[in-house]
Every structure is written in C-alpha cells, then in structure tokens.
C-alpha cells in the first residue's frame, strides 16, 4: 500500500486550526458547483480545510503567503532554518516556515527568488501558483514539461505582451512552461474557455482545491481518504427563506460568506475591465442608497442587490472598522463627486473591494487602507445587514 505522503491544511486566515473535520456538504458549495467533487476530494484527504464548520469559501482569493504554506505542509512541514532576503515579512509571522521553505527549495518563480520584497499578502495569479506547483512537482521528480504541448495549446491569452503590460513579464517563460507544457496536458489546470486560460486572474480557494485534487490524482496516483464522508446534515428549517429579510437574494442564510459569494459570482458575467449595464438603479428606487445610478454608484447598487435583494439600506457615518462586513458599501470624497466601493473582505489593515473604474468598467481586487479611508471627507458606510 502506497504510503500517503502528506497532510496539508489550508486556511484563508493566518490563525489556522490543525484539526481535519469529517467531510460534510458545505452550504456554500452546492452539489452542482463546478469544483464540488474536487473540494470533497481534498477535504476527505485532509489536503484542504474549510473556513468554518460548514463553509468552504470557494470564491476567496489566496495570497502568496497562504500558498507557500500550503505546499510547505504538502511537503510534510519539514524543519527549516536560516533567513530569507524579504524585508517585508513580519517577524514571527504565521507563514514564516512556509516562506523560508519555499525560498530555499526554489518553489517561488525566479522573480520572487531574486527580489528583496515578497509582498506576502498579495493575491496570487493563476500563472504564479501553477509555477509554484510545478516547481514542487519537480522537487519530487514528478514533473517534466512537454514543449510540443506549448506549441499546440489553443490559448490566445497566454502571450508575452499581455504579461508584460500587466507587470508580469519576468514570470512569462516560467508560466508558459508550467501552464502549457505541464499543468494543461496533465489535466491539472484547465482553460477558462476553449481559447483562454486566464493566466493573470487571481486564484481562488476553489481553483487551488481543484488543482491540488488533480495533482494528487494525476501525478501522485491518488491517496486514500483519511476521514470517511458523513451524510449531509438534515436541513435546518430555520435557514429556509422566510421573507423576514434574513436571507440573501437567492434565499441562502444571510452570512458574510454567502453575501461575498453572491457578489463575486458577478465576476463571471462582468470580468475585470468589462462594461456593466448603466444606468443601474437599485431594486427599490424610493429607498436606495444613491440617487445617481451611473458610475460607481450604479455598480455598487448592482452588486448589493445581487446579494441582499430588497433589504433596506442604512447609512452609518464614520463607521467603526470592526462593523464593516462583506457586501457593505464604503464611500468617501477624494474627488469632487466622491467614490463608493463594495467590500469583499476585510483585514485589520485594509479592505479588498470591487468598484467601478472609468467608463463604467467593473474592477475587481482593489485595496483601501484603514488609515487612509478614515482620514477622507464624508467617510461613511451603507449597510443592508439587519440588526
């Protein structure tokens, strides 16, 4: 019997639990979700953990520090020592061992190995994680790229100019080898359409789970479950839509994770830089947050309606940072007309958002720091969470 190589736990927060729960249906991963089988696979084998007892957070984007830690644990969390050249790593950070291991074993792309800044909290692109997984497979003697596959790939968005214009030129050749010469022909990374593979899109927990599951099956030959599946729990009738305003627009329990998922789902319809319908006025024109239905206000209301439906709005001036949640609208006046953004996630230091760019284009992955926001005129929040 082949010995199982590793026990990996991945979490989207710095403080992680090492317990591996028995698999049960995550309420934010429907049975027909594209990655549902892969999420079940990695959960049953302890390769991935949820973000809570019954949530997985499939749309949550992942940072460089998180992914270095994932592969470090995949390697069995070996003892590490020594230093790294990165000056932006916090002393004693939760990800220190993973980063030291990744640096010393050449897991990061060359550009990350050669510079003095790691940007550990930066969300990782699909191309970069593919390079990291490829480098890991090489360290096990389990990867060899096929140059012929690079030549026959159908993906038109895998080109030098696209990488260069986005500032990722230094990793282009490594990404081409890893993605087109190894991950794609091995079935580890799939295209996002018949002719695209979205190399510069940020990678989500669901995508990482899918790639780990395929890597485990296709490259390592598969591993046996460490925990047995348990029957899905009997639905709690209290979570059914009741019309009392405590569910999301699609009838799910009104949690931050479900709100975030509903908004991020719009990314499939309006990818980064896509023009969205404008003007857009909220579902309740007599009780909406903004009278202007164009530009940033229109996009903010569209996102909010997708998550909250017809729930009423409440404006909070100078909100307390701890009260800001996914789906809330944060506004400020750094221009004569002001600006509003939609919160996707929050840390102690900043919020990640979606917002409208120029010419009514949806933008994803923006970041605003707490210290900056709290110093802006007309800093306020529009929320639709019931008290």
């Amino acid at each position: 019997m082949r010995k199982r190589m590793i026990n990996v736990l991945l979490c989207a927060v710095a403080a992680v639990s090492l317990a591996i729960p028995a698999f049960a249906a995550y309420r934010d991963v429907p049975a027909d979700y594209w990655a549902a089988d892969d999420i079940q696979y990695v959960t049953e084998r302890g390769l991935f953990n949820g973000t809570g007892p019954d949530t997985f957070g499939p749309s949550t984007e992942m940072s460089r520090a998180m992914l270095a830690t994932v592969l470090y644990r995949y390697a069995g969390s070996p003892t590490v020592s020594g230093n790294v050249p990165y000056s932006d790593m916090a002393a004693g950070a939760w990800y220190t061992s993973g980063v030291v291991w990744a640096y010393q074993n050449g897991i990061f792309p060359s550009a990350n190995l050669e510079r003095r800044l790691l940007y550990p909290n930066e969300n990782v692109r699909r191309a970069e994680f593919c390079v990291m997984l490829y480098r890991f497979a090489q360290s096990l003697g389990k990867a060899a790229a096929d140059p012929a596959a690079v030549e026959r790939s159908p993906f038109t968005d895998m080109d030098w100019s696209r990488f260069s214009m986005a500032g990722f030129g230094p990793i282009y050749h490594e990404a081409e080898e890893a993605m087109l010469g190894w991950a794609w022909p091995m079935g580890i990374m799939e295209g996002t359409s018949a002719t695209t593979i979205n190399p510069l899109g940020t990678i989500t927990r669901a995508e990482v789970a899918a790639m780990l599951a395929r890597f485990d099956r296709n490259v390592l030959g598969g591993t046996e479950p460490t925990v047995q599946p348990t029957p899905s729990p009997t639905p709690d009738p209290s979570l059914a839509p009741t019309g009392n305003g405590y569910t999301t627009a699609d009838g799910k329990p009104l949690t931050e994770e479900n709100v975030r998922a509903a908004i991020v789902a719009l990314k499939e319809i309006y990818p980064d830089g896509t023009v969205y319908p404008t003007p857009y006025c909220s579902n309740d024109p007599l009780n909406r947050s903004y009278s202007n239905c164009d530009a940033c206000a229109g996009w903010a209301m569209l996102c909010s309606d997708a998550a909250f439906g017809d729930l009423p709005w409440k404006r909070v001036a100078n909100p307390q940072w701890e009260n800001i949640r996914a789906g809330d609208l944060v506004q400020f006046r750094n221009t004569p007309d002001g600006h509003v953004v939609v919160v996707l996630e929050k840390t102690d230091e900043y919020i990640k958002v979606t917002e409208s760019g120029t010419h009514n284009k949806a933008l994803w992955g923006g970041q605003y720091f707490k210290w900056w926001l709290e110093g802006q005129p007309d800093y306020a929040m529009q929320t639709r969470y019931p008290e």
Side-chain angles (χ1 to χ4, degrees), residues 210-226:
M211 289 182 66
L212 285 178
R214 295 164 189 163
F215 175 74
D216 196 68
R217 290 191 298 257
N218 301 355
V219 176
L220 301 183
T223 53
E224 295 298 321
T226 56

Side-chain angles (χ1 to χ4, degrees), residues 95-267:
Y95 53 78
T96 297
S97 294
V99 167
V100 171
W101 171 84
Y103 174 79
Q104 294 177 347
N105 288 274
I107 302 299
F108 292 125
S110 296
N112 297 112
L113 296 174
E114 295 165 359
R115 66 189 184 190
R116 295 183 59 82
L117 294 173
L118 178 66
Y119 303 104
N121 297 318
E122 181 178 69
N123 289 335
V124 169
R125 311 300 171 125
R126 283 162 54 89
E128 182 179 339
F129 179 63
C130 195
V131 171
M132 293 173 68
L133 188 58
Y134 178 55
R135 294 282 181 257
F136 177 65
Q138 285 181 315
S139 73
L140 301 175
K142 296 289 187 178
D146 178 7
V150 177
E151 296 301 321
R152 69 172 181 268
S153 75
F155 306 118
T156 58
D157 57 350
M158 193 72 191
D159 63 272
W160 160 256
S161 60
R162 188 182 299 268
F163 273 68
S164 180
M165 290 178 64
F168 288 89
I171 75 167
Y172 173 74
H173 294 294
E174 292 170 280
E176 183 181 53
E177 178 184 11
M179 295 182 77
L180 304 185
W182 177 70
W184 172 58
M186 289 295 295
I188 294 169
M189 176 174 277
E190 298 178 347
T192 51
S193 75
T195 57
T196 60
I197 199 167
N198 192 22
L200 299 181
T202 50
I203 198 160
T204 65
R205 285 172 53 84
E207 290 173 320
V208 171
M211 289 182 66
L212 285 178
R214 295 164 189 163
F215 175 74
D216 196 68
R217 290 191 298 257
N218 301 355
V219 176
L220 301 183
T223 53
E224 295 298 321
T226 56
V227 292
Q228 297 301 314
T230 57
S232 298
T234 302
D236 182 349
S238 68
L239 299 181
T242 61
N244 63 1
Y246 288 86
T247 60
T248 58
D250 54 359
K252 296 178 181 178
L254 190 64
T255 65
E256 285 194 67
E257 187 57 50
N258 288 340
V259 167
R260 182 185 298 110
I263 296 173
V264 172
L266 292 173
K267 194 173 182 180

Side-chain angles (χ1 to χ4, degrees), residues 326-349:
D328 286 339
L329 310 184
V330 172
Q331 64 186 61
F332 48 89
R333 188 171 297 279
N334 64 331
T335 66
D337 295 328
H339 191 52
V340 58
V341 299
V342 184
V343 178
L344 298 179
E345 58 183 283
K346 182 191 71 176
T347 72
D348 290 340
E349 298 177 351

